[in-house]
Amino acid sequence: MSCCAAIIVAAGSSRRAGFDKLLAPLHGVRVLERSIRAFANCREVSEIVVVCPEERFHAIDSADLEAGIPITRVDGGAERHESVQNGLAALLYTPELVAVHDGARPLITVEQISRCIQTARECGAAASARPVTDTLKRADSERFTLPEQVNREGLWCMETPQVFQYSLLLDAYVEVSERDIRVTDEVTALQLIGHPTRLVHNHEPNPKITWPEDISHAEMLLELTHRRNDS
């Protein structure tokens, strides 16, 4: 069994949503709490660091998490990569692997987390993703379509968790800091040191809560999942 620490990034201001999306209830369970529970229930995960404001963390009833592993909190930074670095610095132990997850993706499954961890053990770096199936168009600043044809072959929508060997992720973030580059995910950071990431096809919905309507969409997906499991 691998020793994998999880860093759940939940430090954003929820500006686009207009309310604290991470504390919004989904079938009676807050968004951030759902994300934490998934990792707490994954047998390969040895500890969890939640990167978020103190008041957001305390709004979650930690007793309900029923976690048999340490769960700690640390403040975020001005940028995402700074939040992840804060999470790395707050780890209680030096793990074999580190999983980084967006707290605003509450529908992640324990099974997909395990698949990503196993793939990272084999390849050094793995990320949950889904292939692009929609037709893609590029538009100008006025949102009029351009004649360019965008080939979707080989294109994937990146998700989280993204799981890496601990030493690789540290090396990647040293490069990010030294080059003062803003990265939006850890796969991009690994690319800076020339290390590819193996994508793990996620067949289950794993949307990121960004806009208010995303809450109702996530609730609908949960309802469909519950009906399928009950049938």
Side-chain angles (χ1 to χ4, degrees):
M1 185 184 301
S2 66
C3 174
C4 180
I7 297 174
I8 299 180
V9 183
S13 64
S14 298
R15 183 179 62 254
R16 286 176 290 184
F19 59 94
D20 194 339
K21 63 185 182 183
L22 288 151
L23 296 183
L26 289 178
H27 282 209
V29 181
R30 297 180 190 273
V31 167
L32 179 55
E33 186 177 333
R34 282 189 178 275
S35 294
I36 296 173
R37 279 186 180 185
F39 285 86
N41 289 330
C42 182
R43 64 185 184 89
E44 294 95 340
V45 174
S46 56
E47 70 169 298
I48 298 172
V49 174
V50 183
V51 185
C52 73
E54 187 173 5
E55 59 272 18
R56 182 176 290 161
F57 187 70
H58 288 318
I60 298 172
D61 188 347
S62 59
D64 288 341
L65 294 175
E66 299 178 351
I69 59 175
I71 299 178
T72 55
R73 185 207 68 85
V74 67
D75 287 330
E79 302 290 346
R80 177 193 166 85
H81 69 271
E82 295 172 340
S83 292
V84 175
Q85 287 175 306
N86 289 355
L88 287 169
L91 291 175
L92 300 176
Y93 312 101
T94 299
E96 174 192 352
L97 302 170
V98 179
V100 182
H101 183 66
D102 291 327
R105 291 188 186 272
L107 303 190
I108 186 62
T109 65
V110 174
E111 294 75 18
Q112 181 66 1
I113 295 171
S114 292
R115 285 191 288 267
C116 290
I117 290 173
Q118 180 59 36
T119 303
R121 290 189 72 188
E122 297 168 357
C123 304
S128 182
R130 58 181 174 83
V132 173
T133 57
D134 296 327
T135 297
L136 300 176
K137 294 292 183 183
R138 197 179 303 280
D140 61 20
S141 60
E142 298 297 321
R143 297 196 299 277
F144 287 104
T145 57
L146 298 172
E148 175 188 353
Q149 297 299 314
V150 181
N151 185 358
R152 67 187 179 203
E153 183 178 354
L155 295 182
W156 290 70
C157 295
M158 300 306 301
E159 298 181 348
T160 62
Q162 298 181 358
V163 188
F164 310 92
Q165 289 179 357
Y166 176 75
S167 58
L168 276 178
L169 190 56
L170 286 185
D171 289 345
Y173 271 116
V174 167
E175 191 72 13
V176 168
S177 297
E178 289 182 350
R179 295 171 59 177
D180 193 23
I181 295 176
R182 180 180 178 181
V183 294
T184 56
D185 73 346
E186 283 57 61
V187 171
T188 304
L190 264 286
Q191 288 174 330
L192 295 177
I193 60 171
H195 199 289
T197 299
R198 180 74 177 269
L199 302 183
V200 182
H201 189 172
N202 190 2
H203 297 276
E204 297 293 331
N206 186 19
K208 186 176 182 179
I209 306 297
T210 303
W211 307 103
E213 57 268 26
D214 294 334
I215 297 291
S216 57
H217 180 228
E219 288 189 326
M220 180 189 69
L221 292 171
L222 277 175
E223 184 64 31
L224 290 173
T225 299
H226 290 161
R227 288 180 183 177
R228 184 170 66 245
N229 292 340
D230 291 340
S231 61

